[in-house]
Amino acid sequence: MVCNERVPALDEDLKKTLGPATAKVLAEQLGLHTALDLLHHYPRRYAERGELTSLAGLADQLDEHVTVVAQVADARIHTFNGGRGKRLEVTITDGSGRLQLVFFGAGVHKPHKELLPGSRAMFAGKVSMFNRKLQLAHPAYEPLGADASDRDAATAFANQLIPIYPACAKLESWKIAKCVDAVLPGAREAVDPLPAALREGRGLVPLTEALLKIHRPGTKADIEDARRRLKWDEAFVLQVALARRRHADAQLPAVARRPAPGGLLDAFDATLPFTLTAGQQAVSREIFDDLATEHPMHRLLQGEVGSGKTLVALRAMLAVVDAGGQAAMLAPTEVLAQQHHRSITEMMGELAEGGMLGGSDQGTKVVLLTGSMGMPARRQALLDLVTGEAGIVIGTHALIEDKVQFHDLGLVVVDEQHRFGVEQRDALRSKGRQPPHLLVMTATPIPRTVAMTVFGDLETSVLDQLPAGRSPIATHVVPAKDKPHFLTRAWERVREEVEKGHQAYVVCPRIGDGEDDPKKKQAAEEADRRPPLAVLDVAEQLSRGPLAGLSVEVLHGRMDPADKDAVMRRFAAGEVQVLVATTVIEVGVNVPNSTVMVIMDADRFGVSQLHQLRGRVGRGSAPGLCLLVSEMHEASPARARLAAVAATLDGFELSRIDLEQRREGDVLGQAQSGVRSSLRMLAVIEDEEVIAQAREEAARIVAADPELEGLPGLRDALDALLDAEREQYLEKG
């Protein structure tokens, strides 16, 4: 590695500075390509020179790569095979625990000379178990030396905080530190994205100083200063991108849609057998106010499972039809599109039969459009859309195909947004003569900060009241391994509910038709866990065993759409008593007569997913029961997750727990990968205050200077952080 005084350019490929071999590992293993990428690869934590890293906690990190700072207590060479084989065993200690290091063969001589009792070093390797003891086999190490030749280096190093970087097997933390040293002079060239007034007003250090302090801190206060500043960068640049998007949307023209008095919406409201909850009324008012403006509405409607989101969305669609436009509802699966079509036509009654014999004069046609429809039905649906005969269309992404034309598309409702690609939403929006209004619905409660970060270009409405007459759902954990009789009792409870005339769901993580992902299966076997339970196997066992004599059917995503719909219809009609299914039933399936759900291998689902699933029962007047079956040990984190789900019905509380446990990456999901990959320092849950403040500052700055002409540094940072692809992602958000 050549380290002359040349300052590497920040956008320069690392090959030039570090050589092709190192650059290749950094690119392939850690996704770092330029000097700037490397400067943004921040230390995970810091070890103090005098401190011994805790060895006591290593038991939790079996099979993981760790870096520890410790002192050599003992080092001995053992011979075996009649003296032909050599093994060096080194014991290191930190006061909290001891750890064995082993070196074999010709590799024993160098460490034997360097790792003398009393000496100190950094060690990195994979934690393994041998003879019931933790060990590192052939760890890489870096002596924290104090012999004569090292003395100058040691003095310079004496009181330093040692950065421990996220590393990989081929590149240990201290080698990454040396790579950072090579590009650190380039930090002087880093363009500061924060406007000077904002930076000074918030008491934040300049960017160059923050980069130097995060990588080479002199004190713990340096680390704090740097972190605070770098979090602001991430939050602010992201919020500026979203604020620019909101600003651009506000400039777009849209047709204002005001419902005609005495029209379809009033006729529908008059048929409702109940009054809307206060929450539904308030959210409807927000939506109607947005629809009445000449700029497209962009609203996110969050509602607990069963809070009546579909009714609110339907009233918005009817308002648009009243105003002479058409509304499209996009669902992520055919099962769900059919379910919505059925429930909306039932809710509307004769109002959904506009232009048909026996239909209402004020009514409109409600059509379904999915990929598996027969040609004649499809042709008729397309004709109804282009002529304007159909005011409401419900469908899957088949709605987005080029040949689908609308007469006058005024509103797009997207159900379960996180399952939809951004491009798909965009394609549907482009079908209006002017951009249609957009309402995005989700039953996954999203903490405020995540909503501000991921859906920051949408205004948010929340429905948190359950309609009157809804029953609470009791949730219990069934520890199948510790207490097998609890599982026996669970099947008895299912039988009891069926005998009362109710129905049940049994949910499994896998289908079991031989096409399941072989990698997942292999991973389960390697982790010494049995593969997840499968729908087809469980259904057969239940039919022969504890639920013999009941009508048990299966439902999963790989069934033919017509078969799926037929099973759902039979279940909705009460002909099927127990439905054994995968998570295809997670969203939108509405069978008020189902009162009990048993989730097998519940520990293999996320917290929010369990909450979604359980929302399928207790939708009628009878109370709901959800049983979470798990073979995990009582003290395991997985069981703690299940206990949390059993303890509360508050989805927002659960989504917070989910986020804290899984970190943002999983929650923001792959669709949001652009956003995620720009967040290295910012933790969406913990840094709520920073995100909220950054959002305010961003809105203020963009309102004053939408093109950021006076802030070239911020413009550059937007380009760098949200490269073309991510900017596009945000634009399409």
Side-chain angles (χ1 to χ4, degrees):
M1 232 183 264
V2 186
C3 285
N4 52 21
E5 271 309 293
R6 188 182 76 81
V7 175
L10 291 178
D11 56 0
E12 191 169 277
D13 193 301
L14 287 169
K15 281 190 199 107
K16 286 190 182 173
T17 325
L18 305 176
T22 305
K24 187 172 183 230
V25 176
L26 286 168
E28 287 177 1
Q29 302 282 316
L30 298 168
L32 307 173
H33 304 276
T34 66
L36 191 64
D37 289 343
L38 190 48
L39 286 176
H40 285 305
H41 186 68
Y42 306 131
R44 202 158 34 94
R45 60 185 182 85
Y46 301 84
E48 290 180 63
R49 171 105 169 85
E51 161 209 46
L52 293 168
T53 308
S54 167
L55 298 179
L58 288 185
D60 298 338
Q61 301 193 48
L62 208 56
D63 290 333
E64 287 190 24
H65 280 273
V66 298
T67 303
V68 296
V69 178
Q71 185 168 5
V72 176
D74 183 46
R76 292 170 193 212
I77 285 190
H78 300 269
T79 55
F80 53 94
N81 276 356
R84 287 197 303 278
K86 287 187 175 173
R87 181 173 80 246
L88 170 65
E89 287 184 3
V90 179
T91 305
I92 59 173
T93 177
D94 70 346
S96 77
R98 293 164 89 80
L99 181 66
Q100 190 97 43
L101 314 176
V102 287
F103 300 87
F104 294 99
V108 303
H109 302 298
K110 186 170 179 276
H112 193 223
K113 275 201 305 234
E114 292 179 337
L115 299 176
L116 301 170
S119 66
R120 212 166 250 203
M122 267 200 287
F123 302 92
K126 196 173 182 181
V127 182
S128 59
M129 186 75 86
F130 181 70
N131 277 348
R132 299 198 173 175
K133 277 190 182 163
L134 291 177
Q135 67 168 26
L136 300 182
H138 275 286
Y141 63 90
E142 177 89 337
L144 303 180
D147 58 303
S149 62
D150 271 355
R151 197 151 300 137
D152 294 345
T155 317
F157 203 65
N159 304 312
Q160 225 176 9
L161 289 156
I162 305 162
I164 309 286
Y165 287 92
C168 59
K170 292 183 180 171
L171 211 58
E172 293 85 10
S173 171
W174 54 84
K175 288 186 183 159
I176 293 174
K178 286 176 180 168
C179 297
V180 170
D181 282 338
V183 299
L184 206 49
R188 295 200 292 271
E189 309 298 312
V191 179
D192 199 324
L194 293 192
L198 187 158
R199 198 180 69 231
E200 285 153 21
R202 299 262 171 201
L204 300 167
V205 300
L207 179 59
T208 299
E209 190 183 322
L211 289 170
L212 292 170
K213 281 180 168 176
I214 200 79
H215 290 292
R216 299 295 172 261
T219 63
K220 287 185 179 170
D222 284 353
I223 302 170
E224 271 317 296
D225 285 351
R227 279 195 170 139
R228 200 168 152 252
R229 163 63 214 245
L230 294 166
K231 280 180 177 184
W232 253 94
D233 276 18
E234 288 177 9
F236 179 70
V237 173
L238 188 54
Q239 291 301 337
V240 166
L242 293 165
R244 288 183 74 191
R245 183 66 228 140
R246 288 195 301 274
H247 184 272
D249 281 342
Q251 313 308 308
L252 289 173
V255 178
R257 309 280 179 174
R258 296 182 185 86
L264 182 56
L265 178 62
D266 286 350
F268 173 73
D269 283 350
T271 66
L272 286 177
F274 50 80
T275 49
L276 299 179
T277 65
Q280 286 173 323
Q281 289 173 1
V283 169
S284 290
R285 272 196 301 278
E286 290 173 346
I287 292 171
F288 291 155
D289 288 349
D290 283 357
L291 290 174
T293 64
E294 294 182 350
H295 303 295
M297 163 172 81
H298 289 101
R299 191 166 281 282
L300 172 69
L301 172 58
Q302 295 187 54
E304 277 287 12
V305 172
S307 57
K309 287 184 304 303
T310 311
L311 178 61
V312 168
L314 174 56
R315 294 184 73 241
M317 293 197 283
L318 296 175
V320 168
V321 174
D322 254 354
Q326 289 170 295
M329 184 183 231
L330 215 56
T333 64
E334 293 215 350
V335 167
L336 199 50
Q338 289 159 343
Q339 179 87 32
H340 275 315
H341 181 253
R342 201 175 307 132
S343 64
I344 282 173
T345 47
E346 278 167 15
M347 278 199 261
M348 287 175 64
E350 60 175 28
L351 294 172
E353 295 164 1
M356 287 147 76
L357 207 60
S360 157
D361 299 344
Q362 287 168 311
T364 186
K365 226 177 189 182
V366 179
V367 300
L368 176 70
L369 190 61
T370 64
S372 65
M373 279 167 73
M375 215 41 228
R378 195 179 161 76
R379 208 173 282 129
Q380 184 59 51
L382 291 171
L383 188 65
D384 289 341
L385 285 180
V386 77
T387 58
E389 189 80 12
I392 294 176
V393 58
I394 295 153
T396 54
H397 50 260
L399 281 178
I400 296 162
E401 290 169 13
D402 291 342
K403 47 176 164 306
V404 178
Q405 298 296 324
F406 289 85
H407 176 64
D408 179 14
L409 181 61
L411 170 67
V412 175
V413 178
V414 179
D415 191 23
E416 284 311 315
Q417 187 283 337
H418 60 282
R419 292 157 182 260
F420 257 110
V422 192
E423 289 76 12
Q424 294 168 310
R425 285 206 324 248
D426 219 41
L428 191 53
R429 267 162 64 174
S430 67
K431 289 190 176 289
R433 274 179 267 174
Q434 287 191 334
H437 298 280
L438 176 69
L439 179 66
V440 169
M441 302 198 295
T442 176
T444 308
I446 303 163
R448 178 168 160 258
T449 43
V450 180
M452 283 193 290
T453 309
V454 183
F455 307 108
D457 58 340
L458 302 173
E459 298 298 328
T460 305
S461 299
V462 178
L463 273 178
D464 47 13
Q465 271 177 297
L466 288 186
R470 268 303 171 87
S471 309
I473 305 165
T475 308
H476 303 285
V477 178
V478 178
K481 213 169 196 166
D482 313 347
K483 300 178 179 169
H485 59 286
F486 275 40
L487 185 57
T488 311
R489 177 71 191 116
W491 301 126
E492 286 170 6
R493 282 293 289 116
V494 170
R495 238 177 211 295
E496 287 162 15
E497 286 299 312
V498 171
E499 279 161 11
K500 287 183 201 163
H502 297 307
Q503 290 159 281
Y505 296 100
V506 177
V507 181
C508 304
R510 201 160 67 85
I511 299 173
D513 58 359
E515 286 186 48
D516 290 322
D517 188 344
K519 278 188 193 153
K520 281 187 185 166
K521 221 167 164 182
Q522 188 185 343
E525 282 156 16
E526 282 170 9
D528 205 21
R529 285 182 76 180
R530 60 163 173 70
L533 291 170
V535 165
L536 301 178
D537 306 341
V538 169
E540 194 180 333
Q541 288 160 11
L542 291 175
S543 300
R544 287 192 187 157
L547 302 184
L550 303 185
S551 71
V552 177
E553 292 208 25
V554 300
L555 181 71
H556 58 74
R558 274 207 288 270
M559 286 164 63
D560 180 85
D563 294 344
K564 269 195 288 204
D565 195 42
V567 171
M568 260 335 287
R569 276 178 194 279
R570 286 200 296 278
F571 188 62
E575 294 159 25
V576 174
Q577 293 166 315
V578 180
L579 188 62
V580 183
T582 55
T583 53
V584 290
I585 60 150
E586 178 185 348
V587 176
V589 172
N590 185 24
V591 179
N593 189 42
S594 51
T595 54
V596 58
M597 175 179 286
V598 182
I599 303 179
M600 308 302 290
D601 280 344
D603 48 89
R604 295 179 192 254
F605 299 97
V607 168
S608 295
Q609 198 173 25
L610 291 169
H611 181 59
Q612 284 286 94
L613 284 165
R614 122 177 109 184
R616 301 296 115 216
V617 295
R619 297 176 76 87
S621 52
L625 172 66
C626 177
L627 302 172
L628 307 173
V629 180
S630 170
E631 291 187 359
M632 297 303 276
H633 189 272
E634 195 170 358
S636 64
R639 279 284 293 278
R641 262 201 344 258
L642 298 183
V645 175
T648 177
L649 288 171
D650 180 342
F652 286 93
E653 176 56 30
L654 288 172
S655 67
R656 253 191 119 84
I657 293 169
D658 204 6
L659 250 181
E660 280 160 5
Q661 289 187 337
R662 297 194 302 161
R663 304 304 300 159
E664 293 83 23
D666 305 334
V667 179
L668 305 193
Q670 282 312 296
Q672 276 77 20
S673 60
V675 171
R676 179 65 198 123
S677 48
S678 67
L679 301 186
R680 294 184 174 86
M681 191 59 83
L682 197 69
V684 174
I685 281 286
E686 291 152 35
D687 297 317
E688 182 161 348
E689 211 170 298
V690 176
I691 293 170
Q693 290 170 357
R695 185 179 164 103
E696 277 171 33
E697 293 277 11
R700 197 172 50 72
I701 281 165
V702 170
D705 180 4
E707 294 306 309
L708 308 177
E709 282 166 6
L711 298 165
L714 179 54
R715 269 223 314 272
D716 290 354
L718 268 182
D719 295 342
L721 237 125
L722 306 162
D723 55 36
E725 177 190 15
R726 296 181 205 154
E727 180 72 62
Q728 197 182 14
Y729 155 69
L730 285 162
E731 288 206 346
K732 290 179 178 176

